[in-house]
Amino acid sequence: MTMAESSPGMSFDSSRERLGAVYAKGLLGAAQGPHVTDRVLAELDSLIDDVLNRQEKFDQFLASPRIRLEEKTRILDLAFASRMTPLFLNFLKVVARHGRLDCLRQIRTAAQRQYSELLGRVAVIVKTATPVSGQLRRQIEQRLVAVLGKPVDLQCVVDPELLGGLQVRVGDTVY
């Protein structure tokens, strides 16, 4: 699983973070079973990484409060009915009905964190100025497992604004 903390338009907003947690809990509750949950979370990742991050106008269309719900629902059906599980497509329609398609990135972040917790894992985000090699990633992961005493779900994010070193986020704590 991946998270795009450095996605366009991504900034900290505590109300969106709380909404993301609420919707994530609902999504995980609806996706009972590990295989279903993994698939739905992969679909959410794909929607954000492969569609919204690459098609800014489509992202803006879905997030816009000016576009009527019926139009958004119609487009969701046209674009995704044959490409998504009915459960995930229905979830998107519920989020649309509540006018919260602008919170999909926060929902993903919260869903991944909640799912990791259910599995007894710790979600960790490591931000670096440049991409992390496979060997360095393994070393970072091994060190985090040793320090935290639990398996980790490590996600590496490139943040060009960092001058050097790395930033490690475990839950709400940043090192």
Side-chain angles (χ1 to χ4, degrees):
M1 286 187 268
T2 63
M3 292 187 298
E5 287 279 322
S6 59
S7 298
M10 194 62 185
S11 61
F12 182 74
D13 180 340
S14 64
S15 63
R16 283 178 163 209
E17 298 292 322
R18 283 191 299 271
L19 284 169
V22 170
Y23 283 102
K25 185 176 182 180
L27 178 61
L28 293 176
Q32 297 288 322
H35 299 297
V36 176
T37 304
D38 289 339
R39 178 153 183 201
V40 167
L41 290 177
E43 289 176 329
L44 179 56
D45 284 341
S46 180
L47 174 65
I48 293 169
D49 295 336
D50 301 331
V51 179
L52 302 182
N53 287 347
R54 294 182 182 178
Q55 302 293 327
E56 188 176 339
K57 292 207 182 285
F58 186 65
D59 187 17
Q60 292 169 352
F61 169 83
L62 291 179
S64 175
R66 294 181 177 188
I67 307 296
R68 294 176 354 139
L69 172 62
E70 294 78 18
E71 183 65 11
K72 288 181 185 182
T73 302
R74 185 181 72 75
I75 295 298
L76 287 171
D77 280 330
L78 283 172
F80 302 120
S82 64
R83 294 178 174 90
M84 293 179 173
T85 58
L87 184 137
F88 186 62
L89 183 58
N90 186 55
F91 172 77
L92 290 176
K93 290 177 185 179
V94 169
V95 174
R97 198 168 29 249
H98 290 96
R100 288 305 181 184
L101 286 171
D102 62 326
C103 294
L104 289 173
R105 289 173 180 84
Q106 290 84 3
I107 292 169
R108 172 169 67 171
T109 300
Q112 289 175 335
R113 184 177 303 130
Q114 291 173 19
Y115 190 50
S116 289
E117 289 171 5
L118 285 172
L119 297 175
R121 301 177 65 82
V122 178
V124 178
I125 300 169
V126 173
K127 289 186 181 182
T128 56
T130 59
V132 173
S133 70
Q135 181 181 357
L136 180 56
R137 179 188 173 94
R138 285 186 293 280
Q139 290 174 338
I140 292 169
E141 189 169 354
Q142 288 171 353
R143 181 71 178 134
L144 287 167
V145 168
V147 169
L148 298 171
K150 291 183 178 183
V152 298
D153 284 331
L154 179 63
Q155 198 237 320
C156 296
V157 176
V158 174
D159 182 354
E161 292 184 19
L162 289 177
L163 297 177
L166 52 97
Q167 181 184 73
V168 179
R169 181 179 181 146
V170 180
D172 293 334
T173 305
V174 178
Y175 300 95

